[in-house]
Structures are given as C-alpha cells and as structure tokens.
Amino acid sequence: MTTEKNNIVSAPAGLGKKPVKKPAGNGKGKKRFAGLSRWLHIYLSMVSFTILLFFAVSGLTLNHADWFTSGKEVVTKDLGNVNIKWVNQLDTNKINKLQIVEFLRSKHEVKGALSDFRIDDSELSLTFNGPGYLADSFIDRETGKYELTVTRFGAVAVINDLHKGRDSGKAWSWIIDISAVLMTLVSISGIILICFIKKKRLSGFIIAAVGTLACYLIWKLFVP
C-alpha cells in the first residue's frame, strides 16, 4: 500500500518565493564614506594637535592678559659708530639702507623685521619688530654715532603676538591659514561622523544647536 507521503512531489528549491532585491551598493557607499570621515577626523586631529593646542592656550593668555605675567621686560642699550660715508650723504638716495641694516644685525644680533627706516636732516631712525621683540636705533648723520635699544617683552608676549600673527612674517602667516583650514575640516568631519551614529545623532545635533544659539545670544545681548 502506497502511503500518502510517497505521493508528495518535492517542489524545486526557491519555487514560489519572490526574489529579494539587494540595494545597489548604497550600504557599501555609506560605509566607505563613514570610514573616510572617521579617518580624516582622526588623522587631521593628530596632525593639527600641536598647533590647535597652541592657539587654544594662546587665546586664553591673550584674552586674560591680567592672569598671566608677560615676564620681566629686558631692555639692553648699545652705543657705537657706523662708517660715516654710509650716512653722511647729501643725496639721501645714496644712503645704503641694506648695508646699515646688515651691520646692526651682524654686530648686535638684531632680530625681527625692519618695519621703519626714516631719514631726517640730522639722523636716521630704524625700527625692528618681532613677536615680543622691539629694537630701535638712532644714527647721527654727521658723526656716524648710533644708539641701539632692544626690548624683549617675555614669553607670554611672544605667544600672544604669534596668535595674532603680528610681526611674525609670511611663513607664520601660512601656519595660521593652514591651522584655520585644518580646524574647519576637523569640525566638518566630526559633524559627518555624528550623522552615522543613530543613537547619538539627534542628541548630538541638539547639543550643537544649543551651543550655537548660546553663542549667538551672548553676542546679541551682552556684546556692546
């Protein structure tokens, strides 16, 4: 006697099931983008760690100058003579400015950039400026005698001037620009990363909005 079980014919595998459509690479694309954002955020933060820390600390020292002592100002004075032919010229265009500047740099190790060179009837005046540094020299055109006064304002003054980019030269100006770009990229990559963290996404954007609103209200209500 043939059983009912033996009369059952097996259906081909997968028959009657609807094929499931797989997303066309969307999941992989998002993972790659999230991974790239994470990579940028981590390594840009590490590359820019020192310079960002510097600008954070110097922003505090600059905003609260009364909290930090700039260090004792060190003033040194020197006297001497330059070659009278360099300065005693009827035609002031014949005065070799570069020669005078290089003489002061080599003899007294004057630093900073030349910010002012004035020629009067009786004397020359030169001013050199650098971060936390000032040097003034006055040269008598008739005798060639000069007086050089150098003032060093201390470590905190150097930090503050570097933060502001004052008298720090073109190379440091590039550092400021690069650090600004890095801070922007670190911030943007952090915002992108929070978008991929579902549990933290809403709270993260709420906190960012609260911080932005707080800064705006302080500026609007309390900044004169």
Side-chain angles (χ1 to χ4, degrees):
M1 186 174 177
T2 305
T3 61
E4 185 178 354
K5 184 183 292 186
N6 292 334
N7 292 332
I8 298 175
V9 180
S10 299
L15 187 65
K17 294 182 179 180
K18 293 182 180 181
V20 179
K21 292 183 179 180
K22 295 182 178 180
N26 288 339
K28 289 183 178 180
K30 288 182 178 179
K31 286 183 178 179
R32 287 177 182 174
F33 188 57
L36 177 62
S37 300
R38 187 181 299 109
W39 184 88
L40 284 173
H41 188 74
I42 292 172
Y43 288 101
L44 286 177
S45 298
M46 296 310 299
V47 166
S48 58
F49 169 77
T50 301
I51 195 67
L52 296 185
L53 180 62
F54 169 80
F55 279 107
V57 173
S58 58
L60 191 63
T61 61
L62 190 63
N63 197 40
H64 296 282
D66 54 323
W67 292 3
F68 305 93
T69 56
S70 178
K72 187 178 180 181
E73 293 181 8
V74 178
V75 180
T76 58
K77 291 188 177 183
D78 288 293
L79 300 174
N81 289 79
V82 299
N83 191 328
I84 195 170
K85 293 180 180 179
W86 297 352
V87 295
N88 193 1
Q89 297 283 347
L90 293 176
D91 185 359
T92 56
N93 293 321
K94 292 183 179 180
I95 294 176
N96 194 327
K97 296 181 180 180
L98 180 60
Q99 197 170 32
I100 297 170
V101 169
E102 291 306 314
F103 170 80
L104 293 174
R105 288 193 187 281
S106 62
K107 187 171 180 61
H108 300 284
E109 298 183 351
V110 173
K111 300 178 182 179
L114 179 68
S115 60
D116 189 34
F117 194 120
R118 296 185 182 183
I119 303 175
D120 296 330
D121 293 336
S122 59
E123 69 175 11
L124 305 179
S125 63
L126 295 81
T127 301
F128 300 84
N129 289 105
Y133 180 91
L134 173 65
D136 289 309
S137 180
F138 299 94
I139 305 172
D140 190 298
R141 291 186 61 192
E142 187 176 348
T143 63
K145 291 182 179 181
Y146 67 84
E147 178 182 312
L148 174 67
T149 303
V150 177
T151 307
R152 293 175 174 85
F153 296 97
V156 176
V158 173
I159 292 173
N160 291 344
D161 283 348
L162 287 174
H163 183 98
K164 293 182 287 187
R166 185 170 68 184
D167 303 319
S168 54
K170 198 165 187 179
W172 188 257
S173 177
W174 275 99
I175 292 292
I176 294 175
D177 290 340
I178 291 170
S179 65
V181 172
L182 288 174
M183 280 189 272
T184 301
L185 292 176
V186 168
S187 300
I188 292 174
S189 60
I191 289 293
I192 293 172
L193 276 178
I194 200 69
C195 293
F196 291 98
I197 306 175
K198 293 182 179 179
K199 293 182 179 179
K200 304 291 184 181
R201 186 189 304 165
L202 181 60
S203 60
F205 279 111
I206 290 174
I207 292 172
V210 169
T212 304
L213 182 61
C215 291
Y216 173 78
L217 290 176
I218 290 172
W219 168 71
K220 198 70 176 176
L221 299 176
F222 301 107
V223 175

